[in-house]
C-alpha cells in the first residue's frame, strides 16, 4: 500500500458530507415541505427517474417510498425516452434527479414531460439549470464539493439526493399514518417481516403439547417432560391451567425429597404460570422470556391451553 493517510481521507469525506447536509437544512427545507404537501395529496403514483448515478439513487428512493406506503415506480431516464414514459398517467408526479440539471437526456425528458402536462419535482444542485427552471416543484440540493478529490465522481451529491428521498418517504409515511401493521403488510418475508408478523401460533408444534393433571404423580410429570422434549409440562385442573413444571423444578424436587416419584403434583405446584395468547408476536414472546429469564411459555387460545413454546423454537424461526 502506498503512503495514503486513510484516517485523514475518512475524516475529510465525513466533513465534506456533513457540510453539505448542514447547507441542505438551510437552503432546502421550504422547498421540501411544499413538495411533500403536494405529494401527500397526489392521486396517482410517484415516478422517480434519473441518469447515471442519479438513476441508482432514484431506484433506491422508489423502493423506500413503496415500502413506506407511497406507491412509486422507478423509471430510468434513458429508457423513458424510448417508450417507458407510457407508465406515466396525468395523475402521477415525476421526481427527476440530476445534479447539474442540464444534461441532454434530462433536458429532453423534462421537455416531453411538460408537453404531456406532467408535474415535475426536480432535485438539482443548480437552481438556474434547465431542470431547476422547468420544475413544478424544485428541491434545491446544493453541493459545494464532491467527496471525490477531483470533485468529479458523484459522492456527496448522491448522499444528499438519498437524504432528500428519505425525508420525503418518512414524511409521507407519517402523514399517511403508515404504522407497524401497515409496514408488516409490505414486508412479509425475511427477518424484518417475521418480526412484524410471526406469532407464537405460527411456531407451535402441536405434536409436542406436554400436559399433566394436578392429580398425577411427579413421575408422570417427568415422563411427560422427557417425551415432549420442551423442558417443561403444563399442569391442568379441570381444563384450567394451574401451573407449570420445568426441568429446573424437577432438579429441585429430586434434591429436596428422598422418594419424590410418587408425590402428587398438587403438593408442589403453587404459583400461577406466565401465559401468552396465540396471537402474541414471536418477538414479543422472546422479549418476555428474556425479561423473566425463562425458557418456555404457555400459549392459550380463548383462555384455554393451546400449546407450549420453547425459546429455541423462536430463535430457530430466524427473527
Amino acid at each position: 500500500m502506498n503512503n495514503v493517510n486513510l484516517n485523514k481521507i475518512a475524516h475529510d469525506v465525513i466533513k465534506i458530507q456533513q457540510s453539505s447536509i448542514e447547507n441542505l437544512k438551510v437552503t432546502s427545507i421550504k422547498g421540501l415541505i411544499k413538495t411533500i404537501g403536494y405529494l401527500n395529496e397526489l392521486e396517482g403514483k410517484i415516478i422517480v427517474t434519473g441518469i447515471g448515478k442519479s438513476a441508482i439513487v432514484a431506484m433506491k428512493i422508489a423502493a423506500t417510498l413503496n415500502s413506506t406506503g407511497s406507491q412509486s415506480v422507478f423509471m430510468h431516464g434513458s429508457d423513458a425516452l424510448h417508450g417507458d414514459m407510457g407508465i406515466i398517467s396525468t395523475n402521477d408526479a415525476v421526481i427527476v434527479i440530476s445534479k447539474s440539471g442540464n444534461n441532454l437526456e434530462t433536458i429532453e425528458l423534462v421537455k416531453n414531460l411538460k408537453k404531456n402536462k406532467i408535474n415535475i419535482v426536480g432535485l438539482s444542485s443548480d437552481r438556474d439549470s434547465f431542470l431547476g427552471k422547468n420544475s413544478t416543484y424544485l428541491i434545491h440540493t446544493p453541493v459545494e464539493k464532491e467527496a471525490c478529490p477531483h470533485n468529479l465522481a458523484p459522492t456527496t451529491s448522491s448522499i444528499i439526493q438519498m437524504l432528500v428521498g428519505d425525508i420525503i418517504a418518512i414524511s409521507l409515511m407519517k402523514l399517511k399514518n403508515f404504522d407497524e401493521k401497515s409496514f408488516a403488510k409490505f414486508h412479509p418475508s425475511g427477518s424484518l417481516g417475521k418480526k412484524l408478523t410471526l406469532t407464537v401460533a405460527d411456531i407451535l408444534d402441536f405434536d409436542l403439547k406436554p400436559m399433566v393433571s394436578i392429580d398425577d404423580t411427579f413421575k408422570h410429570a417427568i415422563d411427560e417432560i422427557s417425551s415432549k422434549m420442551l423442558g417443561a409440562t403444563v399442569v391442568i385442573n379441570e381444563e384450567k391451567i394451574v401451573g407449570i413444571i420445568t426441568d429446573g423444578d424437577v432438579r429441585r424436587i429430586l434434591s429436596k425429597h428422598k422418594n419424590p416419584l410418587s408425590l402428587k403434583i398438587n403438593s408442589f405446584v403453587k404459583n400461577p404460570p406466565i401465559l401468552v395468547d396465540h396471537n402474541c408476536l414471536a418477538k414479543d414472546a422472546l422479549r418476555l422470556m428474556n425479561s423473566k429469564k425463562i425458557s418456555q411459555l404457555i400459549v392459550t387460545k380463548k383462555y384455554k391451553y393451546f400449546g407450549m413454546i420453547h425459546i429455541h423454537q423462536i430463535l430457530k424461526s430466524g427473527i
Side-chain angles (χ1 to χ4, degrees), residues 10 15 34 102 119 143 180 191 229 292:
K15 185 177 180 180
K34 188 177 179 181
N102 282 320
N119 282 336
V143 175
E180 188 174 89
S191 177
M229 301 179 294
K292 298 295 183 180

Side-chain angles (χ1 to χ4, degrees), residues 237-282:
N237 184 18
E238 296 180 353
E239 297 189 355
K240 292 183 179 180
I241 301 168
V242 294
I244 184 172
I245 302 173
T246 68
D247 281 336
D249 294 325
V250 170
R251 289 191 296 272
R252 285 185 287 273
I253 292 167
L254 288 174
S255 65
K256 186 177 179 180
H257 299 274
K258 288 186 177 180
N259 298 299
L261 296 183
S262 60
L263 287 174
K264 294 288 186 180
I265 291 173
N266 62 16
S267 66
F268 50 79
V269 170
K270 305 294 181 184
N271 299 321
I274 299 172
L275 311 176
V276 294
D277 185 76
H278 71 294
N279 285 323
C280 173
L281 288 176

Side-chain angles (χ1 to χ4, degrees), residues 53-54 57 143 146 153-163:
K53 300 296 187 297
S54 293
V57 173
V143 175
E146 297 284 7
T155 45
T156 305
S157 57
S158 297
I159 291 294
I160 294 299
Q161 291 166 354
M162 282 196 287
L163 176 57

Side-chain angles (χ1 to χ4, degrees), residues 106-139:
T106 296
I107 291 172
E108 191 66 23
L109 175 59
V110 169
K111 285 180 179 179
N112 280 277
L113 290 172
K114 292 194 72 175
K115 188 183 297 183
N116 289 284
K117 298 181 179 180
I118 305 298
N119 282 336
I120 300 168
V121 175
L123 265 68
S124 177
S125 297
D126 185 356
R127 290 183 185 273
D128 297 321
S129 65
F130 188 86
L131 174 60
K133 290 180 178 179
N134 288 277
S135 294
T136 317
Y137 298 88
L138 176 65
I139 301 172

Side-chain angles (χ1 to χ4, degrees), residues 193-204:
K194 287 179 180 179
K195 285 181 179 179
L196 295 171
T197 61
L198 193 70
T199 67
V200 290
D202 295 325
I203 305 173
L204 284 179

